[in-house]
Amino acid sequence: MFDLKLDGPKAVLTLCRPPVNAINAEWLAGFHALLDQLEGAAGLSALLIRSDQKIFCAGMDLDHVRALFARADGADAMVGDVSEFQRLFARIEALPAVVVCEIGGAALGGGLELALACDIRIASHKAKLGLPEARLGLIPGAGGTQRLTRLCGRGIASRIILSADTLDGATAERLGLVQWSCPPEALEATVEAVVTRIAGLAPAAVREAKALIAAAGDPARDGYAEEREADRRLFDQADTRTRIADFLAGAR
């Protein structure tokens, strides 16, 4: 269902539940267990989430959807499931490491909502991204309406959600849904270059910067004050002093 490889400051989490990485209760529990491990990984700077299937992730398992609609309490059960999706995706979003998502195939419904919880999305030009729930009389309730609107603005979110539009990777980059898009044959190398670059940055600075980017979207937080305190914490870090000394020595 998953394969996790840790390599110093980098980790690669591969989704491997054939054929489409459909999400069910077992999948959610397994992902939570992996996050328990990753949250305790010292020095982790970058986590790559990818798939070994043709599809990145197709969202909720259709067998589970059928079972829900057969239950008298199906609506309450669905809300419970969506809450679990939201909880998992919130943990991914809050992970101190930079989470990079490699989208080589379709990321639809809950699969795209998973990608939206990541910090950086890199897609193949031929990838398919969309939130088609309105076709089924539902909404993208695992954070899709909120994260997509914050990311791309109300207009683009309305296009994708209210018209159930499916985008290719190149269009998704143009609209700001992904940060990079490239030909399929260049995807692996592009992702590796980005992850390696992130892993080479100062881990403490990356953690502070990620938290501050989140503060920019939270009206209850004073991001400017938090920047000052982050600088204070980083100034006396041994790693910071070494990096600055090396930089100044090279600038002579």
Side-chain angles (χ1 to χ4, degrees), residues 48-214:
L48 170 62
I49 299 178
R50 60 178 299 278
S51 167
D52 68 358
Q53 305 295 306
K54 290 183 179 180
I55 288 178
F56 171 71
C57 179
M60 187 178 285
D61 191 302
L62 294 182
D63 288 337
H64 185 64
V65 174
R66 292 187 188 96
L68 287 174
F69 276 89
R71 292 173 55 169
D73 65 342
D76 290 336
M78 172 69 84
V79 170
D81 287 340
V82 169
S83 296
E84 283 303 305
F85 275 56
Q86 289 181 345
R87 187 167 75 90
L88 176 68
F89 296 164
R91 287 188 70 188
I92 294 169
E93 190 172 49
L95 198 70
V98 178
V99 185
V100 179
C101 182
E102 176 188 309
I103 307 172
L108 300 170
L112 180 54
E113 289 175 301
L114 165 61
L116 288 170
C118 301
D119 299 295
I120 292 174
R121 287 158 295 282
I122 306 173
S124 159
H125 287 338
K126 294 185 178 180
K128 299 298 179 185
L129 299 90
L131 296 170
E133 285 85 351
R135 292 196 189 107
L136 305 176
L138 297 171
I139 52 98
T145 64
Q146 303 304 296
R147 288 192 177 92
L148 184 58
T149 303
R150 289 200 300 266
L151 178 67
C152 297
R154 183 170 176 173
I156 300 304
S158 296
R159 168 180 169 173
I160 295 169
I161 296 170
L162 301 184
S163 75
D165 196 8
T166 299
L167 312 177
D168 60 29
T171 304
E173 181 186 18
R174 180 170 57 82
L175 297 180
L177 183 55
V178 304
Q179 290 96 327
W180 282 274
S181 178
C182 60
E185 62 273 15
L187 181 61
E188 183 176 348
T190 300
V191 170
E192 176 63 24
V194 172
V195 172
T196 299
R197 187 190 319 159
I198 294 167
L201 302 176
V206 169
R207 287 194 296 271
E208 295 280 11
K210 177 169 175 172
L212 289 164
I213 290 169

Side-chain angles (χ1 to χ4, degrees), residues 27-50:
W27 192 97
L28 291 168
F31 211 129
H32 275 297
L34 292 174
L35 288 177
D36 291 340
Q37 182 178 347
L38 290 165
E39 287 169 349
L44 182 65
S45 294
L47 168 65
L48 170 62
I49 299 178
R50 60 178 299 278

